[in-house]
Amino acid sequence: MSNCSNEFPTTGVLYDELTVGELVPGLIGCALAVIVIGIYFEEIWFILHHYPHKTQRTKFICLLGLYPVVCITSSIAVLIPRATFLCELVAATYLSFCILLFVNMIVSYFGGTKNLLYVMSDEKMPFRVPPCCCLFCFNDLPFNRKYLRIATMMVLQITIIKPVSLFIAAVLWTDDQYTPGDESAPKNGVFYTNLTGMISTIAGIWGIAIIYRSTRPKLPAYRIGLKFIGLQLVLIFLNLQFGIISLLARNDIPECSGTRDSLVRGYRLHHTMLVYEAFLVSILARFAYRRLEPELLSKLELENEVPKTDDNKSTGNTTKRIL
């Protein structure tokens, strides 16, 4: 292993060392990334032609854009190893934005925060949900403005803290102050930034789970469960998956090869797997989003079957109030 290095190789060095067995999965991943981009454009076409509300269209397009963004950034990280940290920063920032947007989408289904609080006034907020269900012993709390604000702030903080922690790690890496895989030793600021990022991620997952679990029974026709699973899977793949791979890398799995040590090869494996996983989750997301929402469906039926009278002008908002 004397010729192995924990530095990411340049493309010239990488492609001289790659075997056919290592090259083929990367090429397949690039092909899958192209397919995901094609699926995404088809989804945009459907949304633009079937959803009249501009705000709703924008939210769906941004949320569905998560999967091509993950595919593109991971493909670049596989093809150009030294762009890995930049790609991870872009993917993590976009994911954080989508988490906040998902919460905003749930609120919009109720017609705004005021209507949400009114509809959920007799319900409880289950704070004892994963990933912190075993750490706190308090019971479910009332669904009111105070606790909704707390859960929302838990989601909001991840859009700031997680990208900033990754940015600091990337800056220290460019200055040779940080070596991937050395996060466990608190010998520099990376340990604390990574610890902060991990706590931020857990808090964000907890906040979105609280809001989702609270409102899910009121939204049975919106496939909110599939939408949440699609977002949660990407969050798990981006954060948990590499933790497992880095643990294996410390035991020289996969083995050192050429100028790449186990962890550098682990990064390549991680991003290759991300492309495959994002492709599968994008199919699930297409099933969840590429459909007419109940509110829109009712509106189209009214326009096609019921004459427009003064009594019917306000009917389009009924679904939003009643859900």
Side-chain angles (χ1 to χ4, degrees):
M1 294 181 59
S2 59
N3 63 334
C4 287
S5 170
N6 57 15
E7 295 182 358
F8 289 86
T10 61
T11 53
V13 174
L14 175 68
Y15 293 120
D16 286 340
E17 296 179 352
L18 283 179
T19 63
V20 175
E22 292 177 316
L23 186 60
V24 171
L27 294 177
I28 294 176
C30 292
L32 292 178
V34 173
I35 294 175
V36 170
I37 294 172
I39 293 175
Y40 178 59
F41 280 114
E42 190 271 340
E43 291 167 339
I44 291 177
W45 180 89
F46 178 86
I47 291 171
L48 292 178
H49 284 77
H50 293 87
Y51 285 86
H53 304 291
K54 182 179 180 180
T55 303
Q56 190 181 42
R57 291 200 305 258
T58 303
K59 291 175 184 175
F60 285 0
I61 289 173
C62 291
L63 286 168
L64 287 169
L66 175 63
Y67 311 104
V69 166
V70 172
C71 283
I72 292 172
T73 54
S74 295
S75 296
I76 293 174
V78 171
L79 297 174
I80 309 174
R82 291 203 172 183
T84 296
F85 279 105
L86 176 61
C87 294
E88 289 184 346
L89 176 62
V90 172
T93 302
Y94 196 89
L95 174 60
S96 300
F97 167 73
C98 287
I99 291 174
L100 183 61
L101 192 62
F102 181 82
V103 174
N104 186 266
M105 180 186 69
I106 292 178
V107 174
S108 69
Y109 280 145
F110 288 86
T113 303
K114 185 177 180 180
N115 288 346
L116 170 62
L117 293 172
Y118 175 76
V119 173
M120 301 294 296
S121 58
D122 296 330
E123 304 295 332
K124 299 289 185 179
M125 296 191 76
F127 274 72
R128 298 183 64 179
V129 297
C132 300
C133 54
C134 300
L135 300 180
F136 300 90
C137 56
F138 48 73
N139 297 322
D140 294 345
L141 300 174
F143 198 108
N144 55 34
R145 186 176 297 274
K146 174 184 175 182
Y147 294 116
L148 177 61
R149 184 181 293 112
I150 291 174
T152 304
M153 292 302 296
M154 291 166 63
V155 177
L156 179 62
Q157 56 80 29
I158 196 176
T159 64
I160 301 173
I161 296 178
K162 183 63 176 180
V164 169
S165 64
L166 284 173
F167 176 76
I168 293 174
V171 170
L172 293 175
W173 174 67
T174 57
D175 194 38
D176 291 331
Q177 300 297 317
Y178 164 54
T179 301
D182 288 347
E183 298 91 344
S184 59
K187 57 187 178 182
N188 53 43
V190 176
F191 171 80
Y192 300 102
T193 56
N194 286 339
L195 179 62
T196 302
M198 181 178 65
I199 295 174
S200 172
T201 300
I202 294 174
I205 296 174
W206 190 25
I208 194 174
I210 291 170
I211 297 174
Y212 163 70
R213 292 289 185 91
S214 302
T215 57
R216 178 179 59 180
K218 300 290 184 180
L219 303 171
Y222 289 86
R223 294 184 180 175
I224 198 69
L226 290 178
K227 295 172 182 177
F228 177 72
I229 291 173
L231 183 65
Q232 191 177 47
L233 286 175
V234 176
L235 187 62
I236 292 173
F237 292 148
L238 282 176
N239 293 278
L240 181 61
Q241 178 174 275
F242 183 71
I244 298 173
I245 292 177
S246 62
L247 180 63
L248 294 174
R250 292 188 180 95
N251 296 298
D252 201 27
I253 302 173
E255 295 181 357
C256 168
S257 174
T259 61
R260 293 165 290 152
D261 72 355
S262 299
L263 193 64
V264 174
R265 296 189 70 202
Y267 267 101
R268 181 178 173 83
L269 174 62
H270 167 60
H271 286 285
T272 301
M273 292 174 61
L274 274 179
V275 177
Y276 287 77
E277 292 157 352
F279 168 74
L280 296 176
V281 179
S282 69
I283 296 176
L284 175 67
R286 183 181 186 276
F287 179 71
Y289 285 92
R290 197 187 183 283
R291 61 191 297 272
L292 294 180
E293 299 289 351
E295 179 184 358
L296 177 59
L297 187 59
S298 299
K299 184 176 180 180
L300 291 177
E301 290 174 350
L302 287 171
E303 289 178 349
N304 293 332
E305 299 178 8
V306 181
K308 293 184 178 180
T309 63
D310 293 337
D311 295 335
N312 293 327
K313 287 182 179 179
S314 60
T315 309
N317 296 324
T318 303
T319 306
K320 182 181 292 186
R321 294 196 302 267
I322 297 177
L323 294 173

